[in-house]
Amino acid sequence: MAPKARKTGEPLEAEETLQAVIIADSYEDRFLPFTLERPRCLLTLANTPLIEYTCESLASVGVQEVFVYSGNHTDQVETYLDNSRWTKDTSPFSLEVVRSTSTSVGDAMRDLDQKGFMKGDFICVYGDVIANIPLDAALKAHKARREMSKNAIMTMVLREAGEYHRTKDQHHRRCFVIDPETDRCIHYEQVRPRTSPRLNIPEEVLKDHVEIDMREDLIDCGIDIYTPDALAQWSDSFDWKMPRQDFVHGVLQDFETFGRTIHTHIVNEGYAARVNTLRAYDATTKDVVSRWAFPYCPDTNLLTDQSYQLQKGNVYKEDGVVLARSSTVSRKSVLGRATSIGEGSVITNSIIGRRCVIGRRVRIENAYIWDDARVGDDAVIETAVIANEASVGKKCHIKRGALVSYGVNIAKGVTVEENTRVTKLKRKRGYDNDEVCRGVTDPTIVGEGGEGFQLELDEDEEDVYEAVLAGVQDMDLMVDGDEISDFASGDEEDEYEYSREPTSRSGSFTSIASDESGETKRDMAKFHREASDSIFDGLQRGQDPDHIQLELQAQRLTENAEDSQIRRAVAVAFNRRIANLIEVGRTAKEAVATAIPPNQRLIKACVKEAREQAEFLLFLQTDLVHRAQGSKVLLNVAFVLAGEDMVDGDGLEQWWEDPRSSASAELEKVRAETKPVVDQMGESEDEEEEEESDEE
Amino acid sequence: MSEQGQPTEHAKAAEEPKVSPAELKKRAKAEKQARRAAQKEQEGATGEVPPAANGAHQDYTAQKQSGQQDQKGKGPQAKGQPQPKPSKQGGQESKQERAGPSTQSMPVRGKAAPTAPSKEQPKKDNTVVELLSHLYPVQRRPNLIGVSKDVHPAVLALGLQISTYEICGSSARCVAMLLAFKEAIQAYTTPRDTSLPRHLVSHHLSPQIDYLRSCRPLAESMGNAIRWLKKLIVELDPDKPEHEAKDLLCEEIDRFVHERITVTDQAIASSARNQIRNGSAVLTYAKSAIVEKTILQAHEQGTRFRVIVVDSRPLLEGKRLATSLMRAGLEVQYVPFSGLAHVMKDATLVLLGAHSMLSNGRLQSRVGTASVALRAHKTDVPVIVCCESVKFSGKVALDSIVLNEIAPPEELLLSSPAQPAVHPTAVTTATGKEVSEDDEPAAKLKSLHDWSSIANLRLLNPVYDITPAEYIRMVICEYGSVPPSSVPVVHRLANEGM
Amino acid sequence: MATPRPSSSDDDAFNIVATYRRVLAEDPDLTMPVAAIESLIVGLANTPSTTVSETLDLVSKLTAQLKSGISNPISLSAGTDLFQQYLISNLQRARGDFDQARNHLVQNGRLFVERAKAARETIAGFGKHFVRDGNTVLTNGGSRVVGALLRNAAESSNGSGRGSIRFRVIYVVSHSTTGNSVEESETAANIAALRERDIPVAEIPPTAIAYCMDMVTSCFVGAEGVVENGGIVNRLGTYQMASLAKAARKPFYVVSESHKFVRLYPLGQYDLGIEQNIVDFRTAKGSERGKKEAASDEGVADMEGEGVRSGSGSCTPGDEVDYTPPRLISGIITEGGVLLPSAVSEELIKIWF
Amino acid sequence: MVGQTPSLTTFLKSLKQNDIETSIELFISLLKRRQIKNSRPCAIATTHLLLRVVAEPKRKWDAQKLIDRVGHVGRRLVAAQPREMAVGNIVRRVLGVIREVAERDEDSLTDSEFSGSASPITGEFKQRPGLPTRFSEFSPLHGAAAMPHNMHSGRPGTADSMNVEFGGTPQRPGLMSSNASYAGQGPSGTSLFSILQHPQGRSPLATPPTGTQSPAMGPSPSRRTTGGEANEKLDIKAEVIDGIKELQDELDVVDSQIAESALDHIHSNEIVLTHTSSQTVQKFLLTAARKRKFTLFHAEAYPNNHEATHATILNGAQGEEEDSDERWKPLTSLGITVILIPDSAVFALMSRINKVILAPHAVLANGSLLAAAGASTIALAAKTHHVPVVVLSGVYKLSPVYPFDTDELIEYGDPSKVVPFEEAEFMNKVDIVNPLYDWVDCDLVDLYITNLGGHAPSYLYRIVADHYRLEDVDLNAKQDVAVKKG
């Protein structure tokens, strides 16, 4: 079968038409509850359905023939496409929606193989990809390789990105081992986040290759170039479900036997992203709105009936938007046609669909509001998604991460708690996605007269909520500690529904424990030892804080340590200094007084926001547990720190609240004496705390 | 705290898998040595310099590291170069990262430097722009041979770092110089038949100074400092025993550094920050330690405002500024020089740093400043210059042609941030160049990297320009705020008065 | 805009000046040039003239009377000159259908008026494109065209079409003690109309223009006459406003129907050919002006058919005008489109040469 | 060719096989995806596309149908990428050509038709609008009330200007003079007379802008067609096609025409500064370089255009289509000293420069222009140093659009040109702005050089006027009419 395809493939070369497959179904449900009613690829991103972006991307690389695979909601997909310009005879490529019973990418591929649509090499993408990468180079390279050996069956197109990138899939650390000579991918693995980054590379790989790159800094948005041969591979092994975990992995496994090779094409220009989690949705929207995906920006008006205009500060308005005089729409927002904003309302960083009615004095931040939604006066909407035709009553408060699904009606004055997901429909038991039924309205959630209920999550869906949450977290949280990857549970691959491990819900900053796992543990320990030693020396020799600071900085660069480690090192060093002052007979008070104030710059340098302060205190505390007069010292330190305002009310508060600070009896004991300081600082700063908390 | 650069982490982490542990150790070692070295020269130095000078100052030290590394050929860049193939993008990219915001420690200049000498010596003639030929250094990067033996090693080292731009920024250079001089002075012994005040300057100090001048034209601040120092020495009581005299000198120098540079920053920043009000949009250009400090302080004292950072090739210093501000939690907008016209409309205040204030009220500062000031002036946005009085100068200048400095043209070859990995190491390696060509229409085409081989083609990379006084509303120095017209007054008071 | 003042007109069968005043009075939103044309037509109708030359003589006679009868004839002269020129160009050539042409004029007076008004609407129609969301517009009261323009913008500001346009208006209002009522009521009406339409309007005295110039995005003024070099003659204070706008680099637009183009080429403020006692030097003995009464009209020369006028021709206070040179004007918005001042002279050149 | 990224060349190739609608759609999406960008490529593509539209096989056009068709297509193109003004300009020019042709038929047959009765329509179609056109080009709404006076505006002067334009065919001057013979109009007729003109049969209320359009569109075609069905339909298609061909020729020669005047502007040992890479400028300088020695400072237009600039300096400007390899000699090879400087250095050097030469992206009706970002900073610096700023622009870049709101004309590009996408934290926290164009006000420009010669900015309105038909300035206006009617 496959060989035949190849045979016909050869002569065709000349006028070979470029074909592509869109896997429109995600075969998973990270977008619950929305995906109950709509296929993911029709969800709108910046008011344009995802599939549009995908098709654009394909058109822009000159694809001539497209097959769309879709599992659930196929009819919707079909109807949409039938009315879209992609099926008109003016469309740049011919498009066919393939109905299949596939429940995984694997099935789709096998089906494709049987149907034998594919004449030659083809591109395979998901229905939720946004990319403006020119593929010519990749295709050429691929072709060239295939000329040389027909075993080069696949090329993966990958985009470089830093290790932590808002647009990058946060919860699978996909690790590619590549032979730079041939761009061959010789090993692929998905490292469980927060587990030791140890790869088990078969040693022959290491033997055969002079030079290998290990890349974990790549955005893999599933743009692959297959040969028909590859399809054959799919067909040969029926258990394969996912292109990476199964296919790539599998093919590489039996390289020895079949000698088939998979290659990578790494690009460092252009944009590529997959909207496969709500978090990715959030990130990608940001990218699109702030023009990283240029030319795919709202004001490009991909859809013919759109009329977005860019205004200063990346505000996009479609014709006929009605803004009350006193309303303000500030940076990075998109407003759809015929949407009206009431007096005194403030829209920030939000996407609002068409024909929405936003009441008076409404505050909307980082929210995604789809078409025809209405929001009552004085409502507050934080980072949340409000789906089509949903309505939010007066004085409602939609908290961060809440998802309000289609047609849900939140009665006035109701507060929707963080990360609750309100919907009208629910899925019949069993995984047939299309089987949905109306659920019973739950007044406790949507209030009297409201419509909808909370969709309770099965284990495997948990991570959606985490994803949302993660999505709104700002970079530095994502950067220190792998909390995020922790959030979205570290299972294999997201096309996958099964075997999700329950997710931990650790607090929003690095726990001490989290610093020490597996191999990292060793490095960190090493760094910690060195750093704290040198700081301690510095303090002993009464060196200038800046100097110590520099020393520290240098070490940090070498060890590539994280902020929290620095803090820890500093904390410990100070404790040691103090301890040893006490040994020479000073009282805790004196000791602290001599140790800290002159060197406060050192602390200020690495301890800034409340979060960091809390962490710092935590480190102090935990370290003091096993030191003489620990509690006394802690009290004094806390006092001094507060006095020199190196820490403020928040810091102390957070620290005090933090479970880890009262984890064990001795911890409790140590911090006991410090309580007064905390309280006193606490109330002095309560007010700001309030506002901060809801700014968060 | 700007040092704890996330990107560095990424970069590092990103390359972790690729560099063998052995390599890792090597680098670690290299860096450690560097650090030690840095520290050695550092002794005492940091004492005077508060985190205030951070921006400049870290550079200054960290640069030392990289300096050392370059000499040992072990520095990260050095290692980056031999990478043969584009396929190593990862590696390069992460290098890029290091060159990016995270690199307060290694100003982009650092990279350009190594290639400079080799490229320059042979065909100086057709690389010089006649119009400005007077500005080209006789010989950049003096080779240690032929330097008079009187030159103190500390000064020698400093000279190298200055000439390779590892220490740049006029305050940083000034501080570094004085510290070096301290060592030089300590090492000095008065010959029999003469007395320290009479002999020291002429016979011991001047060779040092000349040497430094030969490395890179002295900054105004250095000039002032030197003048001050000479005066001080000459006025010493001849009968004072030598060691006392030397100690005295050293103390004085420390005091000078402290009073004239360290503290002044503080003073200026704290008066300048009051110019920033709630809701204002502060526009600044390139990177100035004082401006940075001012903005940060204003932010700390709770003023709500946003910052617009305009930046320009080749140095992209503004990016470093933007990074540190963003880390401090400010709302930052970053604009390439070409976007100037657009952002100026929204700006309510323009804060500029200075290389030096000239006696006719004109400002000498990073090239491009003049355009910014002009645009601001036209759109009626107040322009404020923050400048320590050490940088005030007796000189006058009408345009940027006579009084200026030419940086090595190679800097212009730096790959644009647009495509980092395309020619990341371009400056230093031939391979980098090829890479860059591959994705241009015709690979056969010449690239900018063989510019020097093309007759009639010149690259010109001036360092400063002169901003006319009428564009400047206010100059803030440690003595307070003055109109540009009274610069000479302050100069006499501050730099000649003593 | 000029207002009727007790006229010292000669005892003609047909009193052009009176007619003119009547016409103006009857239709408040009629512009002076049109009014002038109207009255000329009436005149033409009343006095039977058979030959072309007769007609022309008659018209020029009437024109002369009219001009001499009105204190500030600049604006209306636009109308009269236009009319004359039209006659000349049309009648002279097509002798055959002289009567037809004449009748056409006589019969269609009303039509012309309508067109004139239509022109105003037209201007308002696209002039509104100049007003953008978030703008602050500065204008000095009285001009009906500007009024219309702003009203038009206000109406389209409710999100229809291109989305809401939220702008604010600063009106320069001179409550000149002796100020003429028409003017004031005009302004008041405009302001009221805007406020009706939920457009915030601020009223400032002329002395405050410079102060608020920084918050202004663009200025719009009307014109009594647009002169040959593209400059304009308009109520006192326009010049200073334009100068200030220029200084602050704000666009300064003139809104005017094209029938207000006057054949007049002033070299400066005192070259408008009219007598204004704005600057009145006084000593204990009284005003200087007494003496130099006679020598008060240089530059009048180029307004043809214009003889030396009697002292009666001096403006009432609140009625004074000044001249704004073209270099201060960013554009002239006419029913035909936006002209650069340089284009104006071209237009006039077309008629007169 | 497998997976070839679409571009101007591929588009032109595909024009042959694709049917018209497809080509239009394709062009639109190419515009949207910026795979065809910058004035020249857009202009070229547009002409070719319209050529196809007009030449559409088995389609009999009468002028009106053709106008509507082209207008319709034009609107879609413009809507797709309003900031590529060249597209709109070309569309307008083509419409102009059509009306031109239509009018010629007119004359050949209307003489008999309406003898005495001077109807506005006949006027409109009889001769190209001299005065009124120029008079109201700037109007975003195409002249409106000015329409009636078209009938009086046959002036040889105008004819000439058009001849320059279309290499005027002999009969046209004749046509002009012939108007005089019509009743009710005078050679001295002018727009200012509008309110006094030809009242018969016109309700004053019909005068408002949209109204005026309708009679033009409505009755007239029927009138005309009833006239000379036969002789008109024969050639109109061919004629128009020729017209468009002429347009294409114009696009080919435009640079050389501009370059011809090089020697009048660049004297020996001059120091010239230019910005970003532009064929027009390159050709201009090359021509000068053949005869004169001068020094060129070249600002690199970072971050959007510096690569192209470098390439130009090193290897000479690129040929017509952006992806053809054909290049001209670099200036350096002609012994011209070229000095590459970063944009920031412009002010520093300005005091030594005698002339600044810019190439616009588009030139606007009031003499202001859009050019690569950074241009306004340069122009400003030049102004303050009293250095003349010369703008080289093909007529096809002159747009009759009036810049109501200059910010709207600016396109913002891809921030990753400024900061690499990889720098996660930076791109996440800092908002990065990368404008592609600058708006340069007319008072910063001293001289425009088009393929018709040199003009002061204040006179530009005239040139613009000569090239666009009053009725075409605002393409959308017709829609309004249509809407109002239906």
Side-chain angles (χ1 to χ4, degrees), chain B residues 283-301:
Chain B
L283 184 145
T284 178
Y285 175 65
K287 181 176 191 298
S288 145
I290 302 189
V291 171
E292 179 176 14
K293 191 161 182 221
T294 311
I295 293 174
L296 287 173
Q297 286 196 5
H299 180 59
E300 275 154 25
Q301 80 182 13

Side-chain angles (χ1 to χ4, degrees), chain C:
Chain C
M1 326 243 122
T3 39
R5 3 191 348 269
S7 75
S8 59
S9 73
D10 35 357
D11 44 358
D12 233 321
F14 164 74
N15 179 340
I16 180 83
V17 178
T19 330
Y20 172 75
R21 300 229 163 94
R22 200 193 67 244
V23 175
L24 264 185
E26 280 168 357
D27 185 346
D29 57 359
L30 200 62
T31 56
M32 281 179 279
V34 182
I37 293 177
E38 282 304 292
S39 28
L40 283 179
I41 289 174
V42 178
L44 212 52
N46 293 8
T47 42
S49 57
T50 52
T51 71
V52 174
S53 49
E54 267 181 44
T55 324
L56 293 181
D57 298 347
L58 172 64
V59 171
S60 45
K61 188 161 127 292
L62 289 175
T63 312
Q65 289 173 4
L66 183 54
K67 281 185 178 168
S68 58
I70 299 302
S71 63
N72 169 2
I74 294 177
S75 183
L76 70 90
S77 66
T80 54
D81 298 354
L82 190 62
F83 189 74
Q84 274 183 313
Q85 197 57 26
Y86 181 74
L87 284 178
I88 296 167
S89 56
N90 261 7
L91 298 184
Q92 255 168 0
R93 201 173 1 84
R95 299 199 174 287
D97 44 25
F98 161 68
D99 294 313
Q100 181 212 338
R102 186 169 178 283
N103 299 340
H104 144 47
L105 290 176
V106 175
Q107 289 150 13
N108 294 286
R110 212 58 224 144
L111 163 60
F112 302 150
V113 177
E114 292 308 332
R115 285 203 189 146
K117 289 181 182 165
R120 181 181 301 156
E121 285 320 305
T122 313
I123 294 176
F126 71 84
K128 67 166 186 259
H129 291 288
F130 282 88
V131 184
R132 294 297 168 134
D133 190 18
N135 281 12
T136 306
V137 172
L138 178 67
T139 178
N140 62 352
S143 161
R144 277 158 288 198
V145 199
V146 176
L149 186 149
L150 293 178
R151 269 200 305 284
N152 209 315
E155 271 145 15
S156 62
S157 73
N158 53 8
S160 60
R162 290 278 287 95
S164 33
I165 302 164
R166 298 166 294 174
F167 67 101
R168 299 175 300 170
V169 181
I170 302 179
Y171 248 98
V172 179
V173 185
S174 49
H175 296 284
S176 51
T177 45
T178 52
N180 71 32
S181 52
V182 182
E183 181 66 49
E184 307 255 312
S185 59
E186 196 55 65
T187 317
N190 284 340
I191 294 176
L194 286 173
R195 289 186 171 147
E196 272 310 298
R197 294 167 173 76
D198 170 46
I199 302 296
V201 182
E203 300 177 47
I204 61 162
T207 46
I209 297 179
Y211 172 80
C212 63
M213 198 44 99
D214 275 352
M215 69 175 73
V216 171
T217 37
S218 57
C219 313
F220 294 88
V221 296
E224 289 196 11
V226 179
V227 297
E228 272 178 283
N229 60 356
I232 60 162
V233 174
N234 196 21
R235 58 194 298 270
L236 200 62
T238 311
Y239 180 34
Q240 89 193 40
M241 184 164 150
S243 317
L244 290 167
K246 185 70 173 181
R249 291 180 201 76
K250 308 287 179 167
F252 181 87
Y253 295 107
V254 173
V255 189
S256 156
E257 303 92 335
S258 60
H259 60 71
K260 283 190 184 164
F261 288 18
V262 196
R263 190 173 191 203
L264 172 67
Y265 202 131
L267 301 169
Q269 295 302 333
Y270 318 119
D271 192 18
L272 300 176
I274 54 167
E275 178 73 13
Q276 309 194 87
N277 53 357
I278 298 165
V279 188
D280 184 5
F281 299 100
R282 290 183 175 283
T283 59
K285 293 185 210 59
S287 167
E288 276 184 355
R289 301 182 65 262
K291 313 166 193 100
K292 44 191 275 290
E293 202 65 53
S296 70
D297 15 48
E298 277 62 38
V300 183
D302 56 5
M303 303 168 66
E304 68 242 29
E306 182 64 47
V308 175
R309 264 191 289 103
S310 63
S312 68
S314 67
C315 295
T316 49
D319 191 15
E320 307 93 341
V321 295
D322 59 16
Y323 157 70
T324 309
R327 63 184 169 80
L328 302 179
I329 299 171
S330 337
I332 302 173
I333 307 173
T334 71
E335 73 272 26
V338 188
L339 299 182
L340 298 184
S342 48
V344 174
S345 64
E346 182 170 354
E347 297 313 320
L348 287 153
I349 292 169
K350 292 295 153 25
I351 340 176
W352 303 104
F353 305 115

Side-chain angles (χ1 to χ4, degrees), chain A residues 258-279:
Chain A
F258 303 111
R260 294 208 173 66
T261 58
I262 291 181
H263 296 259
T264 57
H265 182 83
I266 298 171
V267 293
N268 40 44
E269 255 176 318
Y271 180 85
R274 256 199 82 184
V275 185
N276 49 3
T277 61
L278 278 162
R279 164 212 189 72

Side-chain angles (χ1 to χ4, degrees), chain D residues 246-261:
Chain D
E246 280 168 23
L247 248 169
Q248 291 176 332
D249 301 345
E250 181 195 338
L251 288 178
D252 295 341
V253 297
V254 85
D255 285 345
S256 357
Q257 286 177 334
I258 295 176
E260 278 159 20
S261 54

Side-chain angles (χ1 to χ4, degrees), chain D residues 227-246:
Chain D
E229 295 277 343
N231 54 4
E232 176 196 296
K233 285 193 182 157
L234 294 183
D235 60 348
I236 183 155
K237 192 183 242 181
E239 292 262 358
V240 173
I241 290 177
D242 293 349
I244 300 180
K245 290 253 172 63
E246 280 168 23

Side-chain angles (χ1 to χ4, degrees), chain B residues 315-326:
Chain B
L315 295 185
L316 297 173
E317 303 159 294
K319 199 155 152 202
R320 282 154 52 208
L321 175 63
T323 314
S324 71
L325 294 183
M326 130 194 124

